[in-house]
Amino acid sequence: MGNSPSGFEYQVFKDGSVQILHHGKQAAILRGRRADDFLDDVSLDDGQLIMARLTGNYRRGNERAARSHPRNLKP
């Protein structure tokens, strides 16, 4: 395992919304309570995994098993 997500960054705007970027491209915008909760969580941790989970852009651990599934094998 050991593949921790990377390439995420975020920007906080004056209105309190948070824009999450992945490799420079917008991945999500958080507003209101979600933005506040995100900022609280990020202040305690690096935030890469948090941002990956919020955007849905993270490995789930089953990629290797899926590669050998019969429907994914080329005839």
Side-chain angles (χ1 to χ4, degrees):
M1 306 283 188
N3 290 342
S4 61
S6 63
F8 288 97
E9 55 189 60
Y10 67 95
Q11 299 174 345
V12 181
F13 294 101
K14 290 180 184 178
D15 65 354
S17 63
V18 176
Q19 179 184 35
I20 298 177
L21 305 168
H22 185 243
H23 296 293
K25 294 182 182 179
Q26 179 180 321
I29 294 182
L30 307 176
R31 293 183 178 91
R33 177 87 175 158
R34 286 187 77 189
D36 294 339
D37 290 345
F38 168 76
L39 292 173
D40 290 342
D41 292 342
V42 161
S43 68
L44 301 175
D45 194 12
D46 173 32
Q48 291 294 308
L49 184 59
I50 296 167
M51 288 184 273
R53 287 194 172 160
L54 282 172
T55 61
N57 190 355
Y58 66 101
R59 292 187 168 261
R60 292 159 185 85
N62 64 350
E63 290 84 6
R64 186 171 295 163
R67 188 179 327 157
S68 62
H69 191 276
R71 88 172 149 242
N72 296 328
L73 297 176
K74 294 183 180 180

